[in-house]
Amino acid sequence: MWRSLSGRRRQNRTSDVAIAADVWERAGQAATATLPVMAEVEALALRIYGAHDLPTRPGHYRRGPDAGTWVYLGEQVDPDLRWAMVLEMPPEAGWRYATLEDIGRFPGAPADLRAASELLATCRHLKSRLAGREPGHPGDDLETAIRLGASWRGLTDALAQRSKSRLKLTPPSDPGPDRTATDAALPAPSDPVAPRPTRPKRVRRKKPD
C-alpha cells in the first residue's frame, strides 16, 4: 500500500514538473502578438496620443531643438546607431530621444496623457515578458496585469465622465410659431375714435333786484 501511495506521489510530482516546464517553454516561445484585451488597452492609449497630436506608431523617435514634432527613427534602432546619434546631436544641445511610450511623459503633460504613456509602457513590458526577452517572475506578471486592468478601467471611466460633463450647445429643434401667420390670424385693429368736443357750460347771470 505504501509503495502504491509513494508511486502515485512520485507520478504526481513528475506530472507537476512536466506541466511547469511546459508552461515555461510556451512562455518563452510565445509570439509578441498582442492579446485582445491588451489591444483594447493600447488602442485607448493611442487615441489619447492622437488627441494630443503625438505619434501613434511604436518605435524610436527623435526631436530637434525647438521642434514641435517627433521624427520617427524606426521600430528597432541598433544601440551603436543610437549612441552615434547622441554623440552627434547631444541632449545638451536640445535634442531629445524617446520611445513611443516615453514621449507622453514630458514635463507638464496632462494627466490623461501621462496615464496613456504608463499604459503603453506596461503593455510593452508584459509583451516582452511573454516573449521571454525580459527576466521576471510569473507572480509579478500577474500583479502587473491586474494593475494594468485597473488603470485602464480608471482612465476609461474618467474619460467617460469628462465627456458627460461637457456642455453641448445645440440650436433648438423647434424655431417657434411663425409670427407672420399668427399676426395674420389676429383681427385688424380698428381706427381710434376721436373724443367728442364738449360744449362749455352757460353761466346764468343773476338779475338785479
Side-chain angles (χ1 to χ4, degrees):
M1 180 177 179
W2 286 106
R3 290 179 182 178
S4 176
L5 290 176
S6 61
R8 290 179 183 176
R9 289 175 182 173
R10 196 174 297 112
Q11 279 185 344
N12 291 337
R13 290 176 184 173
T14 303
S15 61
D16 292 341
V17 172
I19 292 174
D22 184 56
V23 169
W24 281 108
E25 183 179 1
R26 284 187 284 109
Q29 295 179 355
T32 57
T34 304
L35 301 175
V37 176
M38 194 180 296
E40 294 184 33
V41 176
E42 291 178 323
L44 173 63
L46 293 178
R47 283 200 301 270
I48 296 176
Y49 264 50
H52 289 277
D53 296 327
L54 290 180
T56 58
R57 185 177 180 183
H60 294 260
Y61 290 84
R62 178 182 66 197
R63 189 175 65 183
D66 301 327
T69 58
W70 291 88
V71 178
Y72 181 72
L73 299 177
E75 185 174 357
Q76 299 294 336
V77 180
D78 186 81
D80 294 335
L81 179 58
R82 292 204 303 265
W83 180 246
M85 283 190 295
V86 170
L87 291 179
E88 183 181 357
M89 295 165 282
E92 293 80 7
W95 292 89
R96 295 293 178 263
Y97 303 88
T99 61
L100 177 65
E101 297 80 8
D102 297 328
I103 62 179
R105 304 177 186 176
F106 57 85
D112 60 340
L113 189 55
R114 294 196 305 270
S117 173
E118 187 64 29
L119 291 180
L120 291 176
T122 305
C123 289
R124 182 184 65 176
H125 169 71
L126 287 176
K127 286 192 289 186
S128 297
R129 285 284 301 127
L130 288 173
R133 294 194 299 264
E134 291 187 15
H137 191 273
D140 298 334
D141 297 339
L142 180 60
E143 182 178 357
T144 301
I146 293 174
R147 294 192 181 200
L148 175 66
S151 300
W152 172 45
R153 181 56 59 191
L155 181 57
T156 303
D157 294 342
L159 295 177
Q161 187 66 27
R162 182 190 304 177
S163 63
K164 288 181 181 179
S165 62
R166 287 176 181 169
L167 179 62
K168 297 182 179 179
L169 298 178
T170 57
S173 57
D174 185 7
D178 187 359
R179 297 295 303 173
T180 304
T182 305
D183 295 341
L186 295 176
S190 58
D191 294 335
V193 178
R196 297 179 64 182
T198 58
R199 297 177 63 184
K201 288 184 177 182
R202 295 179 61 185
V203 179
R204 298 181 65 183
R205 296 179 180 181
K206 191 175 182 183
K207 295 181 178 180
D209 294 337

